[in-house]
Amino acid sequence: MTIEYATPYRSRSFIPPEPGKPYFVEKGLGDRAHLFGDLVTVYAGGEQTENTFNFFTVEGPKGNLIPAHSHPDTHEVFYVAQGAVRLFVEDLAGEQQERLLTPGDFGFVPKNCPHSYRMERHHSLVVGVAAGPGGTFERFFETLGTPTDELVLPARPFVPAPEKFATVPQQYDVRFLPDHQWRTGDGQS
Amino acid sequence: MTIEYATPYRSRSFIPPEPGKPYFVEKGLGDRAHLFGDLVTVYAGGEQTENTFNFFTVEGPKGNLIPAHSHPDTHEVFYVAQGAVRLFVEDLAGEQQERLLTPGDFGFVPKNCPHSYRMERHHSLVVGVAAGPGGTFERFFETLGTPTDELVLPARPFVPAPEKFATVPQQYDVRFLPDHQWRTGDGQS
């Protein structure tokens, strides 16, 4: 039995709009969005968890380092389910680390720590949980990017309109750090 | 670079005891416990997230339905990474559902909803997040079960001493429901 719901985010979603209801979502069928070259799929949001946590995946092509950023009020998990992802993170004392994560490997980025990553295999898939006392930010991706019904990566990268960068990131606890430099071995490229 | 820490839970752990520190954990190398036939591995706990969420995996053999239970204050995610897991859940109105989940499939169990599951393939692996406004419960497994340095399933099931069932579950927001019956097709077996 498969039930679809109308929610504040989608006219058809497998995530029930009211909290307190158990539900199942088949692989790939969460609420989807395209942002740059990636496909982001939300399986649970703050509405389901009394704002304690969310659960989403990010699938991407082998590509470039994404822009360094931090989250003032959000802790974030990177759990690799497919492929290979190089995670870069800087602690609050300015010490930097990078690590290549393959399936089953885990990385934790506390709030306020600058971080970035680069997918190093096509169809890499990262499971994410991102939350803190201030709530969850899973709708960032479709607000800066665009909601989609597609099940695949964007055929061409979805580039947000420039004015969106002035408002959307801070609304979702994302701070881009355009002047940030990675001094670790693989961060230069 | 791999750093090990002494924490309140382990003399050697890859999870740093102080919050605010970024870290990486290789597949399988989180804080491990044996409980009945399962290997539970904690990658992040409440200490890391200001008590907003945790992140753990449960690996088990093909086996029996685990005892039905609920969590009065904890919402729970079941995301299958390997194998096949049949998840049973009852909503707050008493309606029951079951679903076979294979890799990439997702199930959400809100607080207070009775639930159970059965691993239907050997070496099934479930990713779990379990949290609510009251906190997280990832140390339930090693407290009812036993911490282990092993990387594999228990050679023989670890059965907790009977008196532990009187105190440990309620301490970790777990309520066993010994009289619960599944009326769905596959819950009988």
Side-chain angles (χ1 to χ4, degrees), chain A residues 1 23 27 50 75 99, chain B residues 1 50 75 99 105 108:
Chain A
M1 183 176 57
Y23 63 96
K27 179 178 166 83
E50 299 175 80
H75 308 286
R99 188 74 66 95
Chain B
M1 184 177 53
E50 298 175 81
H75 309 284
R99 188 74 65 94
D105 292 345
F108 189 82

Side-chain angles (χ1 to χ4, degrees), chain A residues 160-178:
Chain A
E163 62 270 22
K164 277 196 163 183
F165 286 95
T167 55
V168 175
Q170 66 184 25
Q171 216 180 315
Y172 290 92
D173 200 38
V174 176
R175 302 287 179 279
F176 285 112
L177 305 167

Side-chain angles (χ1 to χ4, degrees), chain A residues 1 20-27 43 48 50 52 55 75 91 97 99 103-108 110-111 133, chain B residues 1 20-27 43 48 50 52 55 75 79 91 99 103-108 110-111 133:
Chain A
M1 183 176 57
K21 224 177 149 50
Y23 63 96
F24 303 103
V25 184
E26 260 181 51
K27 179 178 166 83
Y43 291 91
Q48 280 70 51
E50 299 175 80
T52 55
F55 196 96
H75 308 286
D91 71 16
Q97 295 178 73
R99 188 74 66 95
D105 292 345
F106 175 93
F108 188 82
K111 66 182 186 184
Chain B
M1 184 177 53
K21 224 177 147 50
Y23 65 97
F24 303 102
V25 186
E26 260 182 51
K27 178 177 166 88
Y43 291 91
Q48 281 69 49
E50 298 175 81
T52 55
F55 197 95
H75 309 284
Y79 177 81
D91 69 17
R99 188 74 65 94
D105 292 345
F106 177 93
F108 189 82
K111 67 181 184 183

